[in-house]
């Protein structure tokens, strides 16, 4: 349970107000809007020991926060450089992947071209074989004709000899 403040000790509240908040509260704190302060409380003339201790504590806290902020900034810079390195690696991997895709396409085109060349080569071989066969047929035909012509010459020669005999 919370302890109740003793009536003999004054209640002290400490409030931290930022500059933005002070501007928003300014109309409420204007002298004409401010409630009348009790005359019994004397105005402080200088910093009290509590105020000095509080300022020291706040300064210490601020230094601690500044240190933590600097550490956090250094950590963020390190992480950013690591991220940049990973992005460069990723770009290299992407380049490697695109290179692999490009090489695969090139290999496919080469394989297609080789297949087409094989088909053409086979077609040329068939045509060459057909030409060789036709040439052999022509040569055989020429030889047969030459043989016939030789026979006809021989027969003609015999007929001439017979005709010469009959004429004689």
């Amino acid at each position: 349970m919370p302890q109740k403040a003793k009536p003999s000790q004054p209640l002290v509240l400490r409030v931290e107000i930022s500059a933005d908040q002070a501007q928003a509260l300014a109309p409420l704190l204007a002298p004409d809007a401010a409630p009348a302060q009790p005359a019994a409380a004397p105005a402080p003339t200088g910093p009290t020991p509590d105020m000095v201790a509080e300022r020291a504590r706040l300064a210490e806290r601020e230094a601690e926060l500044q240190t933590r902020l600097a550490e956090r900034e250094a950590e963020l810079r390190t992480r950013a450089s690591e991220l940049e390195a990973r992005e460069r690696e990723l770009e290299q991997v992407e380049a490697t992947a695109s290179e692999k895709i490009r090489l695969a396409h090139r290999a496919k085109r080469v394989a297609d071209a080789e297949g087409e060349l094989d088909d053409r080569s086979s077609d040329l071989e068939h045509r060459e074989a057909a030409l060789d066969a036709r040439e052999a047929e022509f040569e055989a035909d020429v030889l047969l004709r030459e043989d016939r012509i030789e026979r006809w010459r021989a027969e003609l020669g015999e007929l001439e000899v017979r005709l010469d005999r009959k004429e004689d």
Side-chain angles (χ1 to χ4, degrees):
M1 293 188 111
Q3 295 180 353
K4 293 186 180 180
K6 295 180 184 178
S8 62
Q9 292 181 350
L11 178 63
V12 178
L13 295 175
R14 294 194 182 149
V15 178
E16 292 183 14
I17 299 174
S18 69
D20 294 338
Q21 293 170 337
Q23 288 176 356
L25 295 174
L28 299 175
L29 299 176
D32 54 11
Q37 295 191 2
T45 59
T48 64
D50 289 341
M51 292 172 128
V52 172
E54 185 64 21
R55 284 183 186 164
R57 187 185 68 74
L58 288 174
E60 184 180 306
R61 175 86 173 136
E62 182 180 1
E64 178 185 323
L65 289 175
Q66 289 291 340
T67 304
R68 286 177 47 194
L69 179 63
E71 290 172 356
R72 184 72 174 155
E73 286 176 352
E75 178 186 345
L76 289 175
R77 276 191 230 105
T78 303
R79 290 180 70 186
S81 64
E82 289 172 358
L83 180 62
E84 289 174 5
R86 289 182 72 186
E87 286 175 349
R88 284 191 299 271
E89 288 175 10
L90 183 60
E91 287 173 1
Q92 289 175 350
V93 167
E94 288 174 355
T96 303
S98 64
E99 184 72 18
K100 286 180 182 179
I101 291 170
R102 190 177 62 77
L103 289 175
H105 286 292
R106 181 181 283 176
K108 186 179 183 304
R109 284 193 311 243
V110 167
D112 290 345
E114 285 178 352
E116 187 176 332
L117 288 175
D118 287 343
D119 292 344
R120 287 183 180 181
S121 175
S122 175
D123 185 44
L124 286 175
E125 287 175 5
H126 288 300
R127 287 182 179 185
E128 188 177 337
L131 284 174
D132 287 344
R134 285 181 69 192
E135 185 180 354
E137 286 178 19
F138 285 132
E139 285 181 18
D141 189 42
V142 167
L143 289 175
L144 287 174
R145 287 182 184 183
E146 284 178 355
D147 286 346
R148 264 191 257 157
I149 291 174
E150 286 298 319
R151 269 188 282 138
W152 289 342
R153 279 188 192 163
E155 286 177 15
L156 183 62
E158 287 176 15
L159 287 174
E160 284 179 353
V161 170
R162 271 200 262 167
L163 184 60
D164 282 342
R165 270 190 232 156
K166 281 187 181 180
E167 283 179 0
D168 282 342

